[in-house]
Amino acid sequence: MLVSTDLRPNETRALAALFRAGALSRAALARDLGLTRSTTGALVLGLTEAGLARERSDGADDEQDGEGRVGRPGILVEIDGNGGFFLGAYIGVNWIAAVAVDLAGVKRAGASRVFAGPGSTPAAAVAIIKELVAEVRSQLPAGTRPYGLNVAVPGFPAADGVSYHATILGWHGVNLAELLVSAFGDEFPILLENDANAVAVAETYRAQPGQDDEDVLVMLIENGVGGGIINAGRLHRGRLGGAGEIGHLRIGDEGFVFDAKRPGRLESYVGKDALLARYLHISGLRVGVDEFVAAIASGDPAAVATARDWALWFGRGLATLTCTLQPERIILSGSVNAVYPFVAEQIEAFLSDFLAEGYPVPSIELARVGADGPALGAACLLHQAALSGDPQFQLRGLAAR
Amino acid sequence: MLVSTDLRPNETRALAALFRAGALSRAALARDLGLTRSTTGALVLGLTEAGLARERSDGADDEQDGEGRVGRPGILVEIDGNGGFFLGAYIGVNWIAAVAVDLAGVKRAGASRVFAGPGSTPAAAVAIIKELVAEVRSQLPAGTRPYGLNVAVPGFPAADGVSYHATILGWHGVNLAELLVSAFGDEFPILLENDANAVAVAETYRAQPGQDDEDVLVMLIENGVGGGIINAGRLHRGRLGGAGEIGHLRIGDEGFVFDAKRPGRLESYVGKDALLARYLHISGLRVGVDEFVAAIASGDPAAVATARDWALWFGRGLATLTCTLQPERIILSGSVNAVYPFVAEQIEAFLSDFLAEGYPVPSIELARVGADGPALGAACLLHQAALSGDPQFQLRGLAAR
DNA sequence: CGACGTTTGTTCGATTTGCATACTAATTGA
DNA sequence: TCAATTAGTATGCAAATCGAACAAACGTCG
């Protein structure tokens, strides 16, 4: 009879090692885990029978050094993606999305729908998520049960830890977790995550094999400015998952848009509204980000001057964040990041000038993940938890008993 | 024959659980580790024979609930401090210190000496550390070999990861690690850590039993302003251990002390020099921190006004850091923290006003650890690494073979 | 006070896990 | 063709853990 069995600690460790490396021979895996080859062979056999790992079929191998490698070549073993699935969802201002990531960390399915965020109720959003999740699950192999659902939201839990405030959606004090649980039952655990944090995970998770302990700051720049902090490959969540609210950074006295209560914040200088307000002030033209970027590209002096002002304040924010977090990379996400390439030199010069001598200057890059980044990152967080041995997402395999 | 043997994984986990809880019965430990009572009994027996754990002798027990606890009471087991020692040292501007922390996380020995930092060579500092370490080791039980030495330094490694810059000591591009290794040989591993990071660990490590995953920001305010970030109980080091350089936070345009190259930094508003310069500007008096604090206490209007200005900028810095990191607590260390109590109300009011609605306001506390905080924290970092199973600090026990 | 339920610690055999040591297989280099 | 080297597998043994039993030590309640 086939039964679902919990994985033993070393089986989970083996999967994590395979995930980090992409694929390993049994011998390499043994070295990685500090076990003998015989033990590792048995481990791989178990994982293979359980449908969680498989030998790589395509002849491609010798990833490691290829050249003067003497001795019998190994058979690469990799994770079998079909071994498990993790669901992520995103409640955005304009749309709602759901995705599934498989055991190999690859996106396997996705669905989305437009959503009139402000004005809609949380219950309406949850209903849409329920439909999208069903749609996503229908795209997965039959008979699979996901390990969990993580929902990215543009907001934060309040000090009590449960009531969500999503100002941008007009939601205050909503118990989203309860709504979701009552919609989905207890088939799998349900978590919530801030959208900027999720994007940060999506941008950095498994960016390159073997590199899983980076220090990265991801900035998400739209009207507001959010951020996600990755420390040694892990999300720095803060007390209630509210770390990285970098739009509230106090970097000056006023701002390009006026805010009587909280003047001088980063997002009142570098957010989308602020940028366009500055351009309006200089040029007298009211435009969107795309038009503005086109104006810089065409050499419009007002646009160039606006971008220069924007870069001045953006550089201040970057300097503050770099000192505080010392990231290796800073990744810019959100529509406003299109402005960055035009002022990259200015900002990088300012940064290396402002930072102390010898202090490493982070490299600044543009985002690679698309619009479903928050949903993807949310799912990746579950994947990470499962491969880390988190008991809440204890991996299972099918075994003959 | 007695031989030194490496601990098995579950023995290390058991010690970590005992450390977290302070003391546990075998049954409680079994629940904590997810093992059976019989296995745990054997585990405890092994640890006891190896001299790493012991039954608590003082009759004091029932820490847990005492009241209606039915059933046979357990025998509390705790870590035997003599099971191992961890060395920490600190190279300060005016003095050098060394301490030893035992396996139970308790400071067991210390020694210090004055040191004319600026003007002295790194080699001279290393020679003093060598003497102090010998002095500290002589205070420990005979025959013990420490697991490692961690040296806290007021500086950071440069982008290459090895050459240290300690501007405050006048050192640039020094390979401190190499100097230390050549002085001590390879008897035990030697590490380096920034002093503010070390203080942060000293202030938070084992602050209260059972609470080991806090989010805390520790600010160290002297002439410069440094910081250490504790995320989920772990030091957030950044790429090269240089995270938390919060003195460079850009919060304004100028500063109370002038800095042409990097104007507007937090430390040019709230550092010791800045504070006293502001007081000089207002009162015409040139004083030290102690006198300044006495002046506030006595109601001197110039001092009170200075403190109010100080608090204004300090609040801006706190707001920025709170948004970025969302700590539960902020701990103020360094001599300037004596000013805080006089402006606590003002700063807390500003903070809860500036932060978004529902955003948790961190509690702000004064430091508890004394002047050897950096050395203590450095030693605690090794203790933490050893109990986490870091192979570099693999715990050992004495066992009959 | 004593029977009863509950929890702890220990004992002991069974089971599982991992290691050491072989051995075969597949490749490079001479 | 023949070492040398590395990968994978089989097998017996040692260690770690479990499961079930049992005695010990405490509350509770009649």
Side-chain angles (χ1 to χ4, degrees), chain B residues 8 10 35-36 38-39 71-73:
Chain B
R8 289 159 292 156
N10 274 345
L35 301 172
T36 59
S38 52
T39 303
R72 169 178 170 178

PDB file of all heavy atoms in Angstrom, chain B residues 8 10 35-36 38-39 71-73, chain D residues 16-19 23-27:
ATOM      1  N   ARG B   8      27.760  14.604  19.610  1.00  0.00           N
ATOM      2  CA  ARG B   8      26.859  14.225  18.517  1.00  0.00           C
ATOM      3  C   ARG B   8      25.805  15.321  18.338  1.00  0.00           C
ATOM      4  O   ARG B   8      25.550  16.097  19.264  1.00  0.00           O
ATOM      5  CB  ARG B   8      26.200  12.894  18.860  1.00  0.00           C
ATOM      6  CG  ARG B   8      27.171  11.724  18.789  1.00  0.00           C
ATOM      7  CD  ARG B   8      26.673  10.570  19.572  1.00  0.00           C
ATOM      8  NE  ARG B   8      26.674  10.852  20.998  1.00  0.00           N
ATOM      9  CZ  ARG B   8      25.906  10.254  21.893  1.00  0.00           C
ATOM     10  NH1 ARG B   8      25.042   9.352  21.498  1.00  0.00           N
ATOM     11  NH2 ARG B   8      25.981  10.559  23.166  1.00  0.00           N
ATOM     12  N   ASN B  10      22.595  15.555  18.426  1.00  0.00           N
ATOM     13  CA  ASN B  10      21.525  15.741  19.400  1.00  0.00           C
ATOM     14  C   ASN B  10      22.043  16.177  20.762  1.00  0.00           C
ATOM     15  O   ASN B  10      21.304  16.774  21.547  1.00  0.00           O
ATOM     16  CB  ASN B  10      20.697  14.458  19.536  1.00  0.00           C
ATOM     17  CG  ASN B  10      19.601  14.412  18.490  1.00  0.00           C
ATOM     18  OD1 ASN B  10      19.298  15.421  17.881  1.00  0.00           O
ATOM     19  ND2 ASN B  10      19.030  13.242  18.300  1.00  0.00           N
ATOM     20  N   LEU B  35      12.258  14.061  20.989  1.00  0.00           N
ATOM     21  CA  LEU B  35      12.775  12.704  21.172  1.00  0.00           C
ATOM     22  C   LEU B  35      11.991  12.037  22.295  1.00  0.00           C
ATOM     23  O   LEU B  35      11.199  12.677  22.981  1.00  0.00           O
ATOM     24  CB  LEU B  35      14.260  12.744  21.541  1.00  0.00           C
ATOM     25  CG  LEU B  35      15.182  13.425  20.522  1.00  0.00           C
ATOM     26  CD1 LEU B  35      16.578  13.570  21.075  1.00  0.00           C
ATOM     27  CD2 LEU B  35      15.183  12.649  19.226  1.00  0.00           C
ATOM     28  N   THR B  36      12.227  10.760  22.461  1.00  0.00           N
ATOM     29  CA  THR B  36      11.546  10.068  23.557  1.00  0.00           C
ATOM     30  C   THR B  36      12.295  10.311  24.866  1.00  0.00           C
ATOM     31  O   THR B  36      13.460  10.707  24.878  1.00  0.00           O
ATOM     32  CB  THR B  36      11.497   8.567  23.298  1.00  0.00           C
ATOM     33  OG1 THR B  36      12.830   8.093  23.158  1.00  0.00           O
ATOM     34  CG2 THR B  36      10.706   8.248  22.049  1.00  0.00           C
ATOM     35  N   SER B  38      13.302   8.079  26.904  1.00  0.00           N
ATOM     36  CA  SER B  38      14.412   7.139  27.096  1.00  0.00           C
ATOM     37  C   SER B  38      15.664   7.641  26.377  1.00  0.00           C
ATOM     38  O   SER B  38      16.761   7.635  26.943  1.00  0.00           O
ATOM     39  CB  SER B  38      14.016   5.755  26.596  1.00  0.00           C
ATOM     40  OG  SER B  38      13.524   5.812  25.282  1.00  0.00           O
ATOM     41  N   THR B  39      15.489   8.096  25.147  1.00  0.00           N
ATOM     42  CA  THR B  39      16.637   8.627  24.411  1.00  0.00           C
ATOM     43  C   THR B  39      17.231   9.820  25.137  1.00  0.00           C
ATOM     44  O   THR B  39      18.449   9.942  25.294  1.00  0.00           O
ATOM     45  CB  THR B  39      16.200   9.055  22.998  1.00  0.00           C
ATOM     46  OG1 THR B  39      15.620   7.941  22.348  1.00  0.00           O
ATOM     47  CG2 THR B  39      17.368   9.561  22.204  1.00  0.00           C
ATOM     48  N   GLY B  71       1.507  14.803  39.139  1.00  0.00           N
ATOM     49  CA  GLY B  71       2.512  13.851  38.700  1.00  0.00           C
ATOM     50  C   GLY B  71       3.852  14.040  39.377  1.00  0.00           C
ATOM     51  O   GLY B  71       4.092  15.016  40.078  1.00  0.00           O
ATOM     52  N   ARG B  72       4.705  13.064  39.134  1.00  0.00           N
ATOM     53  CA  ARG B  72       6.041  13.111  39.737  1.00  0.00           C
ATOM     54  C   ARG B  72       6.831  14.310  39.217  1.00  0.00           C
ATOM     55  O   ARG B  72       6.910  14.514  38.008  1.00  0.00           O
ATOM     56  CB  ARG B  72       6.778  11.825  39.385  1.00  0.00           C
ATOM     57  CG  ARG B  72       8.257  11.844  39.722  1.00  0.00           C
ATOM     58  CD  ARG B  72       8.860  10.504  39.383  1.00  0.00           C
ATOM     59  NE  ARG B  72      10.290  10.522  39.452  1.00  0.00           N
ATOM     60  CZ  ARG B  72      11.064   9.453  39.244  1.00  0.00           C
ATOM     61  NH1 ARG B  72      10.511   8.298  38.961  1.00  0.00           N
ATOM     62  NH2 ARG B  72      12.364   9.534  39.327  1.00  0.00           N
ATOM     63  N   PRO B  73       7.393  15.109  40.068  1.00  0.00           N
ATOM     64  CA  PRO B  73       8.166  16.259  39.608  1.00  0.00           C
ATOM     65  C   PRO B  73       9.463  15.809  38.975  1.00  0.00           C
ATOM     66  O   PRO B  73      10.039  14.789  39.353  1.00  0.00           O
ATOM     67  CB  PRO B  73       8.419  17.060  40.870  1.00  0.00           C
ATOM     68  CG  PRO B  73       8.284  16.088  41.982  1.00  0.00           C
ATOM     69  CD  PRO B  73       7.363  15.014  41.514  1.00  0.00           C
TER      70      PRO B  73
ATOM     71  P    DA D  16      25.895   7.125  19.438  1.00  0.00           P
ATOM     72  OP1  DA D  16      26.533   8.449  19.292  1.00  0.00           O
ATOM     73  OP2  DA D  16      25.928   6.408  20.732  1.00  0.00           O
ATOM     74  O5'  DA D  16      24.388   7.247  18.941  1.00  0.00           O
ATOM     75  C5'  DA D  16      24.154   7.519  17.569  1.00  0.00           C
ATOM     76  C4'  DA D  16      22.660   7.542  17.297  1.00  0.00           C
ATOM     77  O4'  DA D  16      22.185   6.179  17.190  1.00  0.00           O
ATOM     78  C3'  DA D  16      21.834   8.211  18.393  1.00  0.00           C
ATOM     79  O3'  DA D  16      20.890   9.058  17.765  1.00  0.00           O
ATOM     80  C2'  DA D  16      21.184   7.030  19.126  1.00  0.00           C
ATOM     81  C1'  DA D  16      21.070   5.998  18.017  1.00  0.00           C
ATOM     82  N9   DA D  16      21.127   4.604  18.472  1.00  0.00           N
ATOM     83  C8   DA D  16      22.001   4.065  19.375  1.00  0.00           C
ATOM     84  N7   DA D  16      21.829   2.774  19.571  1.00  0.00           N
ATOM     85  C5   DA D  16      20.774   2.444  18.738  1.00  0.00           C
ATOM     86  C6   DA D  16      20.113   1.229  18.480  1.00  0.00           C
ATOM     87  N6   DA D  16      20.428   0.073  19.065  1.00  0.00           N
ATOM     88  N1   DA D  16      19.092   1.257  17.584  1.00  0.00           N
ATOM     89  C2   DA D  16      18.777   2.419  16.998  1.00  0.00           C
ATOM     90  N3   DA D  16      19.327   3.621  17.157  1.00  0.00           N
ATOM     91  C4   DA D  16      20.335   3.564  18.055  1.00  0.00           C
ATOM     92  P    DT D  17      19.990  10.035  18.625  1.00  0.00           P
ATOM     93  OP1  DT D  17      19.831  11.281  17.855  1.00  0.00           O
ATOM     94  OP2  DT D  17      20.522  10.066  20.000  1.00  0.00           O
ATOM     95  O5'  DT D  17      18.589   9.294  18.665  1.00  0.00           O
ATOM     96  C5'  DT D  17      17.995   8.902  17.426  1.00  0.00           C
ATOM     97  C4'  DT D  17      16.899   7.902  17.673  1.00  0.00           C
ATOM     98  O4'  DT D  17      17.469   6.648  18.093  1.00  0.00           O
ATOM     99  C3'  DT D  17      15.919   8.287  18.794  1.00  0.00           C
ATOM    100  O3'  DT D  17      14.705   8.727  18.195  1.00  0.00           O
ATOM    101  C2'  DT D  17      15.754   7.002  19.617  1.00  0.00           C
ATOM    102  C1'  DT D  17      16.449   5.951  18.756  1.00  0.00           C
ATOM    103  N1   DT D  17      17.091   4.839  19.530  1.00  0.00           N
ATOM    104  C2   DT D  17      16.639   3.549  19.333  1.00  0.00           C
ATOM    105  O2   DT D  17      15.736   3.260  18.569  1.00  0.00           O
ATOM    106  N3   DT D  17      17.286   2.601  20.088  1.00  0.00           N
ATOM    107  C4   DT D  17      18.322   2.815  20.992  1.00  0.00           C
ATOM    108  O4   DT D  17      18.828   1.880  21.609  1.00  0.00           O
ATOM    109  C5   DT D  17      18.740   4.185  21.149  1.00  0.00           C
ATOM    110  C7   DT D  17      19.848   4.531  22.105  1.00  0.00           C
ATOM    111  C6   DT D  17      18.111   5.134  20.407  1.00  0.00           C
ATOM    112  P    DC D  18      13.426   9.025  19.062  1.00  0.00           P
ATOM    113  OP1  DC D  18      12.614  10.004  18.341  1.00  0.00           O
ATOM    114  OP2  DC D  18      13.854   9.277  20.450  1.00  0.00           O
ATOM    115  O5'  DC D  18      12.674   7.617  19.023  1.00  0.00           O
ATOM    116  C5'  DC D  18      12.534   6.954  17.777  1.00  0.00           C
ATOM    117  C4'  DC D  18      11.821   5.625  17.969  1.00  0.00           C
ATOM    118  O4'  DC D  18      12.709   4.679  18.617  1.00  0.00           O
ATOM    119  C3'  DC D  18      10.554   5.712  18.826  1.00  0.00           C
ATOM    120  O3'  DC D  18       9.522   5.010  18.168  1.00  0.00           O
ATOM    121  C2'  DC D  18      10.966   5.035  20.141  1.00  0.00           C
ATOM    122  C1'  DC D  18      12.031   4.052  19.682  1.00  0.00           C
ATOM    123  N1   DC D  18      13.069   3.720  20.714  1.00  0.00           N
ATOM    124  C2   DC D  18      13.310   2.387  21.068  1.00  0.00           C
ATOM    125  O2   DC D  18      12.651   1.502  20.553  1.00  0.00           O
ATOM    126  N3   DC D  18      14.270   2.129  22.003  1.00  0.00           N
ATOM    127  C4   DC D  18      14.973   3.113  22.547  1.00  0.00           C
ATOM    128  N4   DC D  18      15.903   2.816  23.443  1.00  0.00           N
ATOM    129  C5   DC D  18      14.740   4.490  22.183  1.00  0.00           C
ATOM    130  C6   DC D  18      13.789   4.743  21.277  1.00  0.00           C
ATOM    131  P    DG D  19       7.984   5.305  18.562  1.00  0.00           P
ATOM    132  OP1  DG D  19       7.201   5.355  17.314  1.00  0.00           O
ATOM    133  OP2  DG D  19       7.959   6.440  19.512  1.00  0.00           O
ATOM    134  O5'  DG D  19       7.571   3.989  19.369  1.00  0.00           O
ATOM    135  C5'  DG D  19       8.030   2.732  18.892  1.00  0.00           C
ATOM    136  C4'  DG D  19       7.659   1.652  19.877  1.00  0.00           C
ATOM    137  O4'  DG D  19       8.778   1.418  20.771  1.00  0.00           O
ATOM    138  C3'  DG D  19       6.456   1.979  20.766  1.00  0.00           C
ATOM    139  O3'  DG D  19       5.638   0.821  20.852  1.00  0.00           O
ATOM    140  C2'  DG D  19       7.083   2.357  22.107  1.00  0.00           C
ATOM    141  C1'  DG D  19       8.367   1.531  22.120  1.00  0.00           C
ATOM    142  N9   DG D  19       9.478   2.131  22.855  1.00  0.00           N
ATOM    143  C8   DG D  19       9.801   3.458  22.918  1.00  0.00           C
ATOM    144  N7   DG D  19      10.870   3.705  23.641  1.00  0.00           N
ATOM    145  C5   DG D  19      11.274   2.453  24.076  1.00  0.00           C
ATOM    146  C6   DG D  19      12.374   2.073  24.899  1.00  0.00           C
ATOM    147  O6   DG D  19      13.224   2.786  25.403  1.00  0.00           O
ATOM    148  N1   DG D  19      12.424   0.690  25.093  1.00  0.00           N
ATOM    149  C2   DG D  19      11.520  -0.210  24.563  1.00  0.00           C
ATOM    150  N2   DG D  19      11.723  -1.487  24.868  1.00  0.00           N
ATOM    151  N3   DG D  19      10.486   0.132  23.803  1.00  0.00           N
ATOM    152  C4   DG D  19      10.428   1.469  23.602  1.00  0.00           C
ATOM    153  P    DA D  23       7.140  -2.814  38.844  1.00  0.00           P
ATOM    154  OP1  DA D  23       7.355  -4.189  39.308  1.00  0.00           O
ATOM    155  OP2  DA D  23       5.774  -2.253  38.737  1.00  0.00           O
ATOM    156  O5'  DA D  23       8.013  -1.827  39.745  1.00  0.00           O
ATOM    157  C5'  DA D  23       9.424  -1.790  39.575  1.00  0.00           C
ATOM    158  C4'  DA D  23       9.938  -0.400  39.922  1.00  0.00           C
ATOM    159  O4'  DA D  23       9.522   0.536  38.896  1.00  0.00           O
ATOM    160  C3'  DA D  23       9.401   0.150  41.247  1.00  0.00           C
ATOM    161  O3'  DA D  23      10.460   0.807  41.928  1.00  0.00           O
ATOM    162  C2'  DA D  23       8.306   1.112  40.824  1.00  0.00           C
ATOM    163  C1'  DA D  23       8.858   1.638  39.502  1.00  0.00           C
ATOM    164  N9   DA D  23       7.829   2.090  38.583  1.00  0.00           N
ATOM    165  C8   DA D  23       6.720   1.414  38.173  1.00  0.00           C
ATOM    166  N7   DA D  23       5.972   2.078  37.325  1.00  0.00           N
ATOM    167  C5   DA D  23       6.637   3.277  37.165  1.00  0.00           C
ATOM    168  C6   DA D  23       6.356   4.411  36.393  1.00  0.00           C
ATOM    169  N6   DA D  23       5.280   4.520  35.602  1.00  0.00           N
ATOM    170  N1   DA D  23       7.237   5.439  36.455  1.00  0.00           N
ATOM    171  C2   DA D  23       8.307   5.308  37.241  1.00  0.00           C
ATOM    172  N3   DA D  23       8.678   4.295  38.015  1.00  0.00           N
ATOM    173  C4   DA D  23       7.791   3.298  37.927  1.00  0.00           C
ATOM    174  P    DA D  24      10.169   1.437  43.367  1.00  0.00           P
ATOM    175  OP1  DA D  24      11.361   1.161  44.190  1.00  0.00           O
ATOM    176  OP2  DA D  24       8.832   1.009  43.826  1.00  0.00           O
ATOM    177  O5'  DA D  24      10.119   2.992  43.051  1.00  0.00           O
ATOM    178  C5'  DA D  24      11.223   3.613  42.417  1.00  0.00           C
ATOM    179  C4'  DA D  24      10.974   5.104  42.296  1.00  0.00           C
ATOM    180  O4'  DA D  24       9.984   5.341  41.257  1.00  0.00           O
ATOM    181  C3'  DA D  24      10.417   5.759  43.568  1.00  0.00           C
ATOM    182  O3'  DA D  24      11.066   7.001  43.750  1.00  0.00           O
ATOM    183  C2'  DA D  24       8.935   5.945  43.266  1.00  0.00           C
ATOM    184  C1'  DA D  24       8.961   6.175  41.764  1.00  0.00           C
ATOM    185  N9   DA D  24       7.731   5.814  41.055  1.00  0.00           N
ATOM    186  C8   DA D  24       7.042   4.631  41.144  1.00  0.00           C
ATOM    187  N7   DA D  24       5.966   4.589  40.381  1.00  0.00           N
ATOM    188  C5   DA D  24       5.952   5.822  39.764  1.00  0.00           C
ATOM    189  C6   DA D  24       5.067   6.407  38.828  1.00  0.00           C
ATOM    190  N6   DA D  24       3.996   5.786  38.350  1.00  0.00           N
ATOM    191  N1   DA D  24       5.343   7.650  38.405  1.00  0.00           N
ATOM    192  C2   DA D  24       6.427   8.276  38.890  1.00  0.00           C
ATOM    193  N3   DA D  24       7.328   7.838  39.759  1.00  0.00           N
ATOM    194  C4   DA D  24       7.027   6.585  40.161  1.00  0.00           C
ATOM    195  P    DA D  25      10.958   7.770  45.115  1.00  0.00           P
ATOM    196  OP1  DA D  25      12.304   8.300  45.424  1.00  0.00           O
ATOM    197  OP2  DA D  25      10.256   6.892  46.057  1.00  0.00           O
ATOM    198  O5'  DA D  25      10.008   8.995  44.777  1.00  0.00           O
ATOM    199  C5'  DA D  25      10.440   9.963  43.833  1.00  0.00           C
ATOM    200  C4'  DA D  25       9.290  10.883  43.516  1.00  0.00           C
ATOM    201  O4'  DA D  25       8.285  10.147  42.781  1.00  0.00           O
ATOM    202  C3'  DA D  25       8.571  11.451  44.746  1.00  0.00           C
ATOM    203  O3'  DA D  25       8.462  12.859  44.610  1.00  0.00           O
ATOM    204  C2'  DA D  25       7.198  10.784  44.736  1.00  0.00           C
ATOM    205  C1'  DA D  25       7.022  10.513  43.250  1.00  0.00           C
ATOM    206  N9   DA D  25       6.107   9.422  42.922  1.00  0.00           N
ATOM    207  C8   DA D  25       6.070   8.168  43.464  1.00  0.00           C
ATOM    208  N7   DA D  25       5.123   7.388  42.964  1.00  0.00           N
ATOM    209  C5   DA D  25       4.501   8.195  42.030  1.00  0.00           C
ATOM    210  C6   DA D  25       3.420   7.955  41.146  1.00  0.00           C
ATOM    211  N6   DA D  25       2.766   6.807  41.073  1.00  0.00           N
ATOM    212  N1   DA D  25       3.061   8.971  40.334  1.00  0.00           N
ATOM    213  C2   DA D  25       3.727  10.140  40.416  1.00  0.00           C
ATOM    214  N3   DA D  25       4.748  10.464  41.205  1.00  0.00           N
ATOM    215  C4   DA D  25       5.092   9.441  41.986  1.00  0.00           C
ATOM    216  P    DC D  26       8.378  13.761  45.872  1.00  0.00           P
ATOM    217  OP1  DC D  26       9.215  14.945  45.669  1.00  0.00           O
ATOM    218  OP2  DC D  26       8.535  12.924  47.083  1.00  0.00           O
ATOM    219  O5'  DC D  26       6.835  14.181  45.794  1.00  0.00           O
ATOM    220  C5'  DC D  26       6.514  15.326  45.093  1.00  0.00           C
ATOM    221  C4'  DC D  26       5.259  15.112  44.274  1.00  0.00           C
ATOM    222  O4'  DC D  26       5.059  13.744  43.911  1.00  0.00           O
ATOM    223  C3'  DC D  26       3.952  15.426  44.986  1.00  0.00           C
ATOM    224  O3'  DC D  26       3.800  16.842  45.023  1.00  0.00           O
ATOM    225  C2'  DC D  26       2.935  14.757  44.076  1.00  0.00           C
ATOM    226  C1'  DC D  26       3.747  13.661  43.363  1.00  0.00           C
ATOM    227  N1   DC D  26       3.208  12.285  43.543  1.00  0.00           N
ATOM    228  C2   DC D  26       2.133  11.879  42.751  1.00  0.00           C
ATOM    229  O2   DC D  26       1.658  12.653  41.917  1.00  0.00           O
ATOM    230  N3   DC D  26       1.630  10.626  42.903  1.00  0.00           N
ATOM    231  C4   DC D  26       2.161   9.806  43.810  1.00  0.00           C
ATOM    232  N4   DC D  26       1.642   8.570  43.931  1.00  0.00           N
ATOM    233  C5   DC D  26       3.248  10.197  44.633  1.00  0.00           C
ATOM    234  C6   DC D  26       3.734  11.442  44.473  1.00  0.00           C
ATOM    235  P    DG D  27       2.485  17.506  45.607  1.00  0.00           P
ATOM    236  OP1  DG D  27       2.850  18.773  46.221  1.00  0.00           O
ATOM    237  OP2  DG D  27       1.701  16.499  46.358  1.00  0.00           O
ATOM    238  O5'  DG D  27       1.779  17.807  44.209  1.00  0.00           O
ATOM    239  C5'  DG D  27       0.603  18.582  44.183  1.00  0.00           C
ATOM    240  C4'  DG D  27      -0.446  17.816  43.421  1.00  0.00           C
ATOM    241  O4'  DG D  27      -0.136  16.394  43.452  1.00  0.00           O
ATOM    242  C3'  DG D  27      -1.834  17.957  44.040  1.00  0.00           C
ATOM    243  O3'  DG D  27      -2.658  18.681  43.143  1.00  0.00           O
ATOM    244  C2'  DG D  27      -2.339  16.547  44.270  1.00  0.00           C
ATOM    245  C1'  DG D  27      -1.336  15.669  43.505  1.00  0.00           C
ATOM    246  N9   DG D  27      -1.038  14.409  44.168  1.00  0.00           N
ATOM    247  C8   DG D  27      -0.054  14.172  45.100  1.00  0.00           C
ATOM    248  N7   DG D  27       0.006  12.932  45.492  1.00  0.00           N
ATOM    249  C5   DG D  27      -1.013  12.299  44.776  1.00  0.00           C
ATOM    250  C6   DG D  27      -1.411  10.949  44.774  1.00  0.00           C
ATOM    251  O6   DG D  27      -0.946  10.011  45.436  1.00  0.00           O
ATOM    252  N1   DG D  27      -2.487  10.739  43.903  1.00  0.00           N
ATOM    253  C2   DG D  27      -3.076  11.710  43.122  1.00  0.00           C
ATOM    254  N2   DG D  27      -4.088  11.319  42.357  1.00  0.00           N
ATOM    255  N3   DG D  27      -2.693  12.977  43.105  1.00  0.00           N
ATOM    256  C4   DG D  27      -1.657  13.195  43.954  1.00  0.00           C
TER     257       DG D  27
END
